[in-house]
Amino acid sequence: MVQQVTPETTIAVIYPESDGQPMADNTEQFTWIVKIKENLEILFASQADVFIAGDLFWYPVQGNPNIKQAPDTMVVFGRPKDKRSSYLQWEEDNIPPQVVFEILSPGNTLKEMTKKLQFYQRYGVEEYYIYDPQKNDLNGLLRSEDSFEVIEEINGWVSPRLGIQFQLIADTLKIVSPPEPQRLTLVELEQLREQERLAKEAALQELQQERDRYQELLAKLQAEGIDTENL
């Protein structure tokens, strides 16, 4: 008698795309989330392997939909700009977001923010920035091995990954993108070429003068009967 083996039923794991909560608690928080996300999109528009998202669920562990966070803005270097309903890390070459922004609102609790910090620290975020627009207070944390270290001097800080600079001025935060490389005009390029040509000619003339002086010295020594071959 042949015993039939019934294959185990595979239960599909569902990774929710939304928790039903609003992206922001107020207009100021929403404005800052959009401002940071969209300006980063512009900054990295020419780089196809930089994925930027706002309020998108990030699932770092396959098979466990309870482990998740939805950063206000996250940046992932090394992943394409494709559309996504959520960020399933195991389907993204297991690359976690390297940079995360959170914009505070009065509704954020210490417990909630502590959980977020622990999550980002555990799952590989390199740079974590927290901005409170009502207090104009910016805090930054930078990965050091397996933990975060506070960025002590955040005003004027330049993000290692993004290249942007944070400036706290008056009652707001100013984020400055890296300056574009200066492009020379055709006239300036021609002037630069002429300067290089003149410098080269001057160097050749100086070398020839040194050779002439050397030959003159040899001639004088030989005229005095000095054997220059054995000097």
Side-chain angles (χ1 to χ4, degrees), residues 176-203:
V176 182
S177 60
E180 293 184 2
Q182 184 177 3
R183 293 182 174 85
L184 299 178
T185 64
L186 291 177
V187 173
E188 289 171 331
L189 283 171
E190 187 59 35
Q191 289 174 343
L192 183 60
R193 292 192 190 101
E194 181 64 15
Q195 291 172 4
E196 291 174 348
R197 185 185 67 80
L198 292 174
K200 185 177 181 180
E201 288 182 356

Side-chain angles (χ1 to χ4, degrees), residues 35 47 79-80 117 128 132 137 189 203 205 209 223:
K35 182 186 296 185
Q47 294 183 228
R79 299 306 301 152
L117 188 150
Y128 178 27
D132 184 341
D137 182 51
L189 283 171
Q205 288 176 0
Q209 290 170 359

Side-chain angles (χ1 to χ4, degrees), residues 31-220:
T31 298
W32 273 102
I33 293 171
V34 173
K35 182 186 296 185
I36 291 174
K37 190 263 184 185
E38 293 304 316
N39 277 281
L40 288 174
E41 292 274 19
I42 294 169
L43 179 62
F44 292 101
S46 62
Q47 294 183 228
D49 63 343
V50 181
F51 173 66
I52 300 167
D55 196 43
L56 183 74
F57 270 142
W58 162 26
Y59 292 94
V61 180
Q62 185 175 11
N64 193 335
N66 294 319
I67 301 177
K68 65 181 183 296
Q69 277 295 341
D72 287 338
T73 301
M74 67 180 187
V75 184
V76 190
F77 290 85
R79 299 306 301 152
K81 299 182 186 293
D82 297 336
K83 294 180 180 179
R84 294 167 176 80
S85 55
S86 58
Y87 190 82
L88 306 177
Q89 187 173 312
W90 56 94
E91 294 182 359
E92 306 282 355
D93 287 346
N94 206 34
I95 299 176
Q98 293 96 348
V99 185
V100 162
F101 289 84
E102 292 287 355
I103 308 301
L104 295 183
S105 72
N108 291 126
T109 64
L110 178 60
K111 181 179 179 180
E112 174 191 1
M113 299 310 297
T114 301
K115 282 186 175 181
K116 286 186 177 183
L117 188 150
Q118 292 172 340
F119 180 96
Y120 298 144
Q121 181 173 268
R122 179 173 183 179
Y123 292 108
V125 170
E126 297 175 12
E127 301 176 42
Y128 178 27
Y129 300 102
I130 310 153
Y131 180 58
D132 184 341
Q134 291 193 334
K135 297 179 180 179
N136 190 32
D137 182 51
L138 175 69
N139 288 281
L141 298 110
L142 191 67
R143 176 165 294 276
S144 177
E145 296 182 353
D146 295 329
S147 61
F148 280 140
E149 288 188 359
V150 174
I151 301 169
E152 298 294 344
E153 297 294 333
I154 194 67
N155 193 14
W157 170 260
V158 177
S159 162
R161 274 285 188 175
L162 306 176
I164 56 177
Q165 184 183 59
F166 300 97
Q167 298 176 359
L168 289 166
I169 56 171
D171 297 324
T172 190
L173 170 66
K174 184 177 180 182
I175 300 177
V176 182
S177 60
E180 293 184 2
Q182 184 177 3
R183 293 182 174 85
L184 299 178
T185 64
L186 291 177
V187 173
E188 289 171 331
L189 283 171
E190 187 59 35
Q191 289 174 343
L192 183 60
R193 292 192 190 101
E194 181 64 15
Q195 291 172 4
E196 291 174 348
R197 185 185 67 80
L198 292 174
K200 185 177 181 180
E201 288 182 356
L204 290 173
Q205 288 176 0
E206 184 176 354
L207 179 60
Q208 186 59 48
Q209 290 170 359
E210 287 294 328
R211 288 174 178 169
D212 293 343
R213 284 194 290 269
Y214 177 71
Q215 293 299 327
E216 289 176 4
L217 177 60
L218 286 180
K220 287 180 181 180

